[in-house]
Amino acid sequence: DKGNHRHFMAKEIYEQPETISHTLSHYVDMGAERVAIREALPFSFAELTRLTMSACGTAYYAGAVAKYWFERYARLPVDIDVASEFRYREPPLAPGGLSLFISQSGETADTLAALRYCAGQGQHVASLVNTLESTIARESGVVFPILCGPEIGVASTKALTAQLTALASLAIAAGRARGALSEEQETELVRELVRLPTAVSQALGTEAQIMDIAKRLSKAKDVLYLGRGPMYPIALEGALKLKEISYIHAEGYAAGELKHGPIALVDEDMPVIVVAPSDELVDKTLSNMQEVAARGGNIILITDKKGAETVGQDVADIILIPEVSSFVAPILATIPVQLLAYHTAVFMGTDVDQPRNLAKSVTVE
Ligand code: F6R
């Protein structure tokens, strides 16, 4: 049932304030303002020497954001790779490490193969899934649920923000166990997570403006997305989502890599979407953005009030999202990239919920 929405994807985008709340209620003790992991852990975060994550597509981007969180808040070394590369690379893994597999369906063939490889290497095997009765869940030592309800649209939306919410909680738990975060820091980060659903509702309010921008995006042949730090995987996600449902060619790039090649593509015909809410790195990303502007590039900036004040009048299209901490900002920045892809596809008249050539669950490699 799509409710009042034209597509399942729109319904699932709009469900996110509730689905994020639901995920949080599993991982966070709201009264105590603490993360409370309910699953029995067959390993101790304090003793881990390494976390290895594998996943495909959008689930991989969730892990790529979480890498920043585990490194920064838990001081835990992290490796992450797409499962189709990881499984054949057969990397050596020291016994006792934790391997975490992220999969909405729990049936993705490459992710499952990566899991089996890690289990054979004496790793603790954990998974983060939406479908608890899936093969990946069954073969895991511990299963973390994302609890966002069934996702029908082929393009993943609410599963990503639920995966990120759960991963952010796990990173806090790991940080506490490893002595990298104090109790006060935990409380502060938990409060930011708890405020997130309201911020997501506000970010959904950018829809009217985004429809306007999407009308223009639908005429583009190529679109470039830029981001830095945890916004880099969000840029990749924006590009993936646009490709898969609007069939417009899009690429995501680390903002700092721009001058190492892709800046050659910049002209007035290629929109450049810059994902840069104010955080520790925003000035660097905005200076990359100015390099695009100086070459006649057409910029669409996703930022908050503070970021917008820095750029002044130089950018015609600024999509304003609420100001939140840099910890939860990647989750919030996901909303406008989803809406941009969705509305561009609607303008193009594509089959948004069932894009050509794609399957919801990729059970063959
Ligand atoms: C993108 C998308 C895919 C999936 C990928 C992994 O919108 O839906 O990239 O994220 O196929 O699927 P799961 O999470 O089921 O392993």
Side-chain angles (χ1 to χ4, degrees):
D1 179 20
K2 294 179 208 163
N4 302 326
H5 296 280
R6 203 158 142 197
H7 299 99
F8 280 107
M9 184 178 176
K11 170 174 176 265
E12 289 162 0
I13 288 174
Y14 271 87
E15 269 171 6
Q16 289 175 110
E18 288 131 68
T19 50
I20 292 171
S21 291
H22 199 208
T23 310
L24 275 179
S25 65
H26 181 84
Y27 288 94
V28 166
D29 178 337
M30 304 279 178
E33 299 186 302
R34 307 250 86 87
V35 169
I37 303 300
R38 304 175 193 217
E39 291 72 28
L41 301 182
F43 60 87
S44 126
F45 274 120
E47 281 156 28
L48 285 184
T49 51
R50 184 164 286 279
L51 168 64
T52 307
M53 291 188 278
S54 264
C56 301
T58 290
Y60 166 73
Y61 300 142
V65 171
K67 176 181 166 74
Y68 292 91
W69 289 333
F70 280 105
E71 288 177 347
R72 176 163 181 186
Y73 299 108
R75 305 303 300 155
L76 178 62
V78 179
D79 281 321
I80 170 141
D81 206 348
V82 290
S84 56
E85 286 298 314
F86 177 89
R87 60 180 292 197
Y88 293 115
R89 219 172 68 232
E90 302 190 346
L93 298 167
L98 174 63
S99 296
L100 176 63
F101 302 90
I102 307 165
S103 176
Q104 188 283 128
S105 63
E107 299 295 347
T108 300
D110 282 319
T111 309
L112 178 60
L115 180 155
R116 288 177 176 160
Y117 170 76
C118 290
Q121 293 280 300
Q123 300 294 291
H124 297 294
V125 172
S127 58
L128 183 63
V129 300
N130 197 26
T131 314
L132 292 169
E133 53 287 349
S134 59
T135 314
I136 287 175
R138 260 196 321 274
E139 297 195 18
S140 300
V142 54
V143 181
F144 299 112
I146 61 167
L147 304 155
C148 68
E151 192 179 60
I152 310 294
V154 164
S156 186
T157 53
K158 64 176 180 173
L160 172 59
T161 49
Q163 285 158 349
L164 289 170
T165 302
L167 288 162
S169 307
L170 290 170
I172 296 173
R176 287 288 286 141
R178 298 171 67 77
L181 288 178
S182 67
E183 206 174 301
E184 294 70 43
Q185 287 171 312
E186 177 181 15
T187 307
E188 208 172 294
L189 295 176
V190 166
R191 283 187 185 154
E192 285 157 14
L193 282 173
V194 170
R195 282 195 288 259
L196 190 58
T198 309
V200 168
S201 298
Q202 289 164 358
L204 288 167
T206 57
E207 182 169 39
Q209 179 195 8
I210 286 182
M211 284 171 76
D212 213 51
I213 297 171
K215 200 186 263 172
R216 280 176 281 140
L217 266 196
S218 67
K219 309 214 160 65
K221 263 193 72 213
D222 307 279
V223 180
L224 184 63
Y225 287 73
L226 297 177
R228 193 183 272 269
M231 296 304 158
Y232 170 39
I234 303 304
L236 294 171
E237 166 67 2
L240 175 66
K241 214 102 295 178
L242 190 72
K243 276 186 274 223
E244 65 180 336
I245 60 171
S246 76
Y247 316 142
I248 294 174
H249 170 242
E251 272 192 79
Y253 248 92
E257 280 286 293
L258 187 66
K259 53 165 80 69
H260 300 286
I263 198 162
L265 294 170
V266 171
D267 61 17
E268 49 293 333
D269 296 326
M270 185 182 68
V272 180
I273 299 175
V274 182
V275 190
S278 57
D279 61 11
E280 297 77 6
L281 302 171
V282 69
D283 292 343
K284 307 228 176 266
T285 312
L286 294 179
S287 97
N288 300 130
M289 188 192 77
Q290 303 297 359
E291 289 157 13
V292 174
R295 284 157 186 86
N298 226 308
I299 293 156
I300 297 153
L301 172 63
I302 298 170
T303 190
D304 50 29
K305 199 156 150 273
K306 210 153 114 205
E309 281 162 8
T310 329
V311 295
Q313 309 290 307
D314 294 353
V315 182
D317 290 302
I318 299 185
I319 300 170
L320 272 190
I321 56 174
E323 225 170 289
V324 293
S325 75
S326 59
F327 174 49
V328 297
I331 308 180
L332 193 61
T334 305
I335 306 300
V337 302
Q338 292 173 344
L339 286 172
L340 271 170
Y342 174 72
H343 284 293
T344 305
V346 169
F347 274 114
M348 311 276 292
T350 58
D351 189 348
V352 171
D353 283 333
Q354 286 284 319
R356 67 185 184 201
N357 310 340
L358 291 175
K360 182 67 185 158
S361 171
V362 184
T363 53
V364 293
E365 72 166 293

